[in-house]
């Protein structure tokens, strides 16, 4: 059911543009986005939602894959659009700060221009984050709104106490001011940031903290057995809960509460193994998690904006203890909400652990805090709605146009091969499909596709089924795809299924291609001299590799034993679709996971979290020793 049906017949549409998906709301910025969209819908506006797949690119480069549910978004909003980009988002800058448009995208600009012409009756555009503000210039005749989420001027200074480099956007005050000036209305999530933005721009600045509906009533625990933290895999969460986890584990005994950490942050924490600390990963049922948690911790040591994890826990009726930074924007008064650091958070929890009177007082303070916060949020929502409605007075009543594209029911397609199973749908979750098994890859549309097709959330998706095929597989062809984590990180499927899938995907479009020489062969594997993207020689990147035999009859999974720099160039051309892929000569040592009789010739599919490489081995093998 579309929102158009659930709201009756809305007469005005707001386009919401965001670099993160609105579902599932598994991170603070997603929760903020989802709640703002709900506020607009409650005010009587229809919402068109445009997901610019910025977050997907960034997190893939860190080996993380936060879930995206395009199917749910397609049933939540009047229309849902998916904008993919070939622009590479720079994660570092040599300048003191990023320029205001360095994280912008020509693909997003083109979409907004197309949308403005296609749906000229849309009354307002709301863009999330200042670094996407440039697209507002392509939306004539709409009220232009920026939801800032955070203050980004001088954000990098927060990292200095941690001796770390920021991995997210930051800029200077002049650039942030230039972004705000592109809007008619600026939204701030908390009062301190509202004052900051008001000092930078003469545009109207509205305070709009999100309103969290009460999901469960508060009930004071008699004691504390389990404490919890839910968070995304960003730096503020990583630094804060990482330090708190070590503090909590110090001196831990079984009679103390267990710290349970949930969400994408678990992937960022990696192999953290501490007494009294459990990593749960993603939790499908947040209500059950909170119901089984006595106290939530917000031991934040850095960050701006509003800590959505605090408001969410309060909405589920769970008391919270945290630092002053963790409660910024809430006007908190209780001492348990003003802890000076992680040691103070731990000490407060241990004092509360077996003190039902103090726990009751904290719970009552939390209930009052949420009530005050939601009352302020409700008033702010009404003010935003009145501003949007005032901007359209005098315009003739608009009629919501027909949908740009109609989403069809998921359909199984035959595209020249009987396996893997190809399904066309908007279902983008990385979980197993009950009917089709494990997701292998998702189609990406190039810029040559028709615009309405480009922006549809429907894609072909390929699944592994439950058993490996018996017959030889046809190629799915030169298709642009995004591979699922199964290839590099998950590896839950059997080697036989993975090899069959690699064979079917042997002609997919690669991000980089080159040739190489085989400079050593043994009964267990071989050694290649090859130009490779430079970043693959640093650290220990997760890699999957498959040899497509020269006779084109089969694929073998390979194990990468090591990559080392090579002083002499092997002399082969390196072609890449991305300007940030700089080739360097390397030696790659490879073992065969299959039969030892595999001959080192053919083509190697070289897969990392966000890149597909294709290496052609030039025959015949040259038996010489090249040492790094």
């Amino acid at each position: 059911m579309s929102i158009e049906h659930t709201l009756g017949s809305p007469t005005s549409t707001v386009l919401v543009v965001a670099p993160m998906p609105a579902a599932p709301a598994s991170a603070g910025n997603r929760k903020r986005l989802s709640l703002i969209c709900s506020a607009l819908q409650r005010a009587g506006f229809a919402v068109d939602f445009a997901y610019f797949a910025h977050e997907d690119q960034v997190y893939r480069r860190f080996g993380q894959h936060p879930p995206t549910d395009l199917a749910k978004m397609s049933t939540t909003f009047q229309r849902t659009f998916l904008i993919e980009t070939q622009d590479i988002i720079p994660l570092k800058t040599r300048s003191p700060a990023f320029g205001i448009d360095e994280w912008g995208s020509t693909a997003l600009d083109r979409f907004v221009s197309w949308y403005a012409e296609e749906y000229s009756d849309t009354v307002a555009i709301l863009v999330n984050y200042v670094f996407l503000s440039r697209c507002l210039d392509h939306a004539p005749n709409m009220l232009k709104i920026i939801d800032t989420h955070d203050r980004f001027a001088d954000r990098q200074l927060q990292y200095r106490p941690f001796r770390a480099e920021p991995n997210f956007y930051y800029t200077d005050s002049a650039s942030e001011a230039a972004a705000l000036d592109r809007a008619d209305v600026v939204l701030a999530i908390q009062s301190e940031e509202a004052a900051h933005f008001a000092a930078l721009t003469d545009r109207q600045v509205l305070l709009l903290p999100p309103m969290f509906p009460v999901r469960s009533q508060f009930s004071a625990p008699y004691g504390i057995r389990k404490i919890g933290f839910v968070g995304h895999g960003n730096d503020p969460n990583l630094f804060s809960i990482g330090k708190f986890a070590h503090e909590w584990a110090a001196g831990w005994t079984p009679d103390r509460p267990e710290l349970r950490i949930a969400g994408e942050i678990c992937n960022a924490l990696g192999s953290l193994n501490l007494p009294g600390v459990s990593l749960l990963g993603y939790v499908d049922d947040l209500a059950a998690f909170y119901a089984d948690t006595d106290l939530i911790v917000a031991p934040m040591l850095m960050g701006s904006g509003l800590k959505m994890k605090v408001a969410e826990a309060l909405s589920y009726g769970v008391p919270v203890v945290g630092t002053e930074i963790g409660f910024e924007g809430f006007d908190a008064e209780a001492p348990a909400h003003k802890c000076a650091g992680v040691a103070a958070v731990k000490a407060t929890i241990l004092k509360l652990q077996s003190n039902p009177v103090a726990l009751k007082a904290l719970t009552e303070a939390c209930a009052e805090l949420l009530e005050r916060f939601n009352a302020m949020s409700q008033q702010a929502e009404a003010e935003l709605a009145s501003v949007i409605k005032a901007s359209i007075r005098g315009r003739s009543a608009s009629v919501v146009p027909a949908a740009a594209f109609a989403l069809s029911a998921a359909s199984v397609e035959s595209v020249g091969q009987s396996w893997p199973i190809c399904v066309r749908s908007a279902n983008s979750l990385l979980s197993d499909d009950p009917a089709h098994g494990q997701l292998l890859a998702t189609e990406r549309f190039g810029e040559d596709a028709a615009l309405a097709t480009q922006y549809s959330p429907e894609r072909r998706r390929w699944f592994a089924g439950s058993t490996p095929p018996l017959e030889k597989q046809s190629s799915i062809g030169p298709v642009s795809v995004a591979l699922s984590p199964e290839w590099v990180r998950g590896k839950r499927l059997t080697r036989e299924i993975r090899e069959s899938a690699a064979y079917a995907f042997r002609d997919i479009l690669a991000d980089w291609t080159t040739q190489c020489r085989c400079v050593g062969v043994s009964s267990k594997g071989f050694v290649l001299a090859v130009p490779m993207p430079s970043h693959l020689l640093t650290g220990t990147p997760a890699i999957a590799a498959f040899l497509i035999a020269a006779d084109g009859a089969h694929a073998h999974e390979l194990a990468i034993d090591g990559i080392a720099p090579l002083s002499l160039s092997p002399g082969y051309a390196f072609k890449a679709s991305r300007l940030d892929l700089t080739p360097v000569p390397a030696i790659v040592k490879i073992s065969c996971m299959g039969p030892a009789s595999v001959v080192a010739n053919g083509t190697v599919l070289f897969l990392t979290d966000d890149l597909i490489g294709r290496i052609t081995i030039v025959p015949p093998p040259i038996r010489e020793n090249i040492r790094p």
Side-chain angles (χ1 to χ4, degrees):
M1 181 183 298
S2 69
I3 197 68
E4 186 173 0
H5 294 141
T6 60
L7 285 179
S9 298
T11 57
S12 299
T13 295
V14 176
L15 171 65
V16 176
V17 177
M20 63 284 189
S26 55
N29 60 348
R30 296 183 183 202
K31 293 180 178 74
R32 164 70 171 180
L33 170 63
S34 177
L35 292 168
I36 291 296
C37 291
S38 296
L40 292 169
Q41 291 167 341
R42 283 194 298 272
F45 298 105
V47 174
D48 283 354
F49 180 70
Y51 168 41
F52 169 50
H54 170 292
E55 183 180 270
D56 181 71
Q57 181 190 129
V58 170
Y59 278 97
R60 277 179 180 269
R61 289 158 72 180
F62 287 107
Q64 300 179 29
H65 297 268
T68 298
D69 194 344
L70 284 165
K72 182 175 181 180
M73 287 184 270
S74 297
T75 61
T76 300
F77 303 111
Q78 176 180 250
R79 283 177 289 260
T80 299
F81 304 91
L82 173 61
I83 303 102
E84 294 177 309
T85 177
Q86 301 301 318
D87 300 323
I88 302 304
I89 301 155
L91 301 180
K92 304 290 183 183
T93 178
R94 294 181 179 179
S95 302
F98 284 104
I100 194 57
D101 294 326
E102 284 192 67
W103 278 28
S105 169
T106 54
L108 181 58
D109 297 342
R110 281 195 300 271
F111 164 77
V112 173
S113 294
W114 170 81
Y115 178 94
E117 183 175 349
E118 192 80 7
Y119 304 107
S120 57
D121 288 325
T122 297
V123 299
I125 175 173
L126 188 156
V127 171
N128 289 263
Y129 291 111
V130 293
F131 53 75
L132 295 186
S133 61
R134 187 179 68 192
C135 74
L136 292 173
D137 295 339
H138 299 268
N141 304 319
M142 298 183 201
L143 180 72
K144 299 175 177 64
I145 307 170
I146 295 177
D147 187 12
T148 55
H149 283 258
D150 291 289
R151 167 184 171 172
F152 288 99
D154 302 323
R155 193 171 186 266
Q156 72 275 21
L157 301 181
Q158 299 180 29
Y159 287 76
R160 288 185 177 176
F162 301 92
R163 297 181 180 178
E165 291 292 325
N167 288 313
F168 200 71
Y169 183 83
Y170 57 92
T171 191
D172 53 38
S173 294
S175 296
E176 192 164 52
L180 301 177
D181 286 345
R182 287 167 167 163
D184 302 307
V185 178
V186 174
L187 304 181
I189 200 169
Q190 47 124 309
S191 57
E192 291 88 348
E193 292 184 357
H196 166 74
F197 298 134
L200 292 180
T201 183
D202 59 0
R203 300 303 194 257
Q204 184 175 14
V205 177
L206 297 181
L207 174 63
L208 185 64
M211 186 170 71
F212 274 78
V214 176
R215 296 176 174 90
S216 299
Q217 297 297 321
F218 281 94
S219 178
Y222 290 99
I224 303 175
R225 299 169 296 108
K226 298 175 182 177
I227 60 177
F229 179 93
V230 183
H232 204 39
N234 56 40
D235 287 340
N237 283 338
L238 178 61
F239 296 149
S240 300
I241 193 61
K243 189 166 184 178
F244 178 76
H246 283 87
E247 178 70 29
W248 185 255
W252 186 84
T253 54
D255 61 320
R256 290 183 176 180
E258 176 192 14
L259 169 61
R260 302 186 306 159
I261 304 173
E264 178 66 35
I265 186 63
C266 295
N267 292 332
L269 290 169
S271 57
L272 184 72
N273 185 14
L274 297 171
V277 180
S278 299
L279 301 183
L280 305 184
Y282 284 110
V283 290
D284 294 327
D285 189 345
L286 271 178
F289 172 81
Y290 283 114
D292 194 36
T293 302
D294 302 306
L295 185 82
I296 290 293
V297 293
M300 306 310 295
L301 302 174
M302 65 177 296
S304 52
L306 190 83
K307 310 308 176 288
M308 305 294 282
K309 59 181 67 64
V310 171
E312 180 182 75
L314 296 176
S315 75
Y316 279 98
V318 183
V320 183
V321 171
T323 59
E324 191 168 5
I325 291 176
F327 278 84
E328 282 181 346
F330 288 93
D331 296 328
E333 299 173 354
H337 300 157
K338 296 181 178 182
C339 297
V342 294
V345 173
K346 176 181 178 178
T348 300
I349 295 171
L350 294 179
K351 288 179 182 178
L352 290 167
Q353 179 181 350
S354 302
N355 189 336
V357 175
L359 283 170
K360 183 174 184 296
L362 173 64
T363 304
E364 290 174 351
C366 288
E368 294 171 1
L369 178 65
L370 180 62
E371 185 177 0
R372 292 197 310 270
F373 182 79
N374 274 342
M376 177 176 61
S377 302
Q378 187 173 13
Q379 182 178 353
E381 278 187 17
E383 186 175 4
L384 173 62
S386 67
V387 168
I388 298 175
K389 291 174 181 177
S391 75
I392 58 177
R393 289 192 188 115
R395 293 178 54 159
S396 58
S398 60
V399 178
V400 177
F405 39 78
L407 291 178
S408 59
S411 59
V412 179
E413 293 191 353
S414 174
V415 288
Q417 87 280 356
S418 58
W419 188 92
I421 301 167
C422 180
V423 179
R424 185 184 297 276
S425 76
N427 180 19
S428 59
L429 283 173
L430 294 173
S431 56
D432 294 351
D433 185 282
H436 309 304
Q438 181 76 17
L439 178 69
L440 294 171
T442 300
E443 179 181 26
R444 297 189 65 190
F445 289 139
E447 294 181 357
D448 55 341
L451 289 176
T453 300
Q454 274 189 41
Y455 302 140
S456 168
E458 282 194 340
R459 295 288 191 276
R460 285 185 295 173
R461 292 177 169 85
W462 288 269
F463 294 85
S466 56
T467 57
L470 298 176
E471 71 277 7
K472 177 180 175 181
Q473 295 310 300
S474 301
S475 169
I476 70 167
V479 180
S480 178
V481 300
L483 296 176
S484 80
E486 163 59 31
W487 294 89
V488 176
R489 298 279 175 174
K491 298 186 178 181
R492 293 192 298 145
L493 297 173
T494 64
R495 180 171 59 82
E496 290 76 15
I497 293 180
R498 287 166 61 83
E499 289 178 345
S500 295
Y503 185 69
F505 281 74
R506 61 190 180 274
D507 296 318
I508 56 174
L509 297 179
D511 297 290
W512 58 274
T513 60
T514 190
Q515 294 177 308
C516 70
R517 287 191 291 161
C518 179
V519 297
V521 179
S522 71
S523 61
K524 295 183 179 180
F526 48 94
V527 180
L528 301 179
V530 55
M532 303 198 75
S534 59
H535 73 276
L536 296 182
L537 276 73
T538 59
T540 55
I543 296 169
F546 297 85
L547 174 67
I548 312 299
D551 59 11
H554 53 274
H556 289 282
E557 186 159 7
L558 308 172
I560 306 299
D561 297 329
I563 304 175
L566 180 64
S567 58
L568 299 175
S569 170
Y572 295 111
F574 180 93
K575 298 180 180 179
S577 61
R578 287 173 33 172
L579 296 176
D580 65 325
L581 299 180
T582 304
V584 295
I587 282 287
V588 182
K589 297 180 180 180
I590 295 174
S591 297
C592 301
M593 297 175 67
S597 59
V598 170
V599 178
N601 58 41
T603 301
V604 176
L605 284 180
F606 203 90
L607 312 177
T608 51
D609 285 306
D610 67 326
L611 293 173
I612 299 170
R614 178 176 284 107
I615 305 170
T616 302
I617 304 174
V618 177
I622 300 174
R623 300 183 181 278
E624 60 178 288
N625 292 320
I626 295 183
R627 298 185 180 277

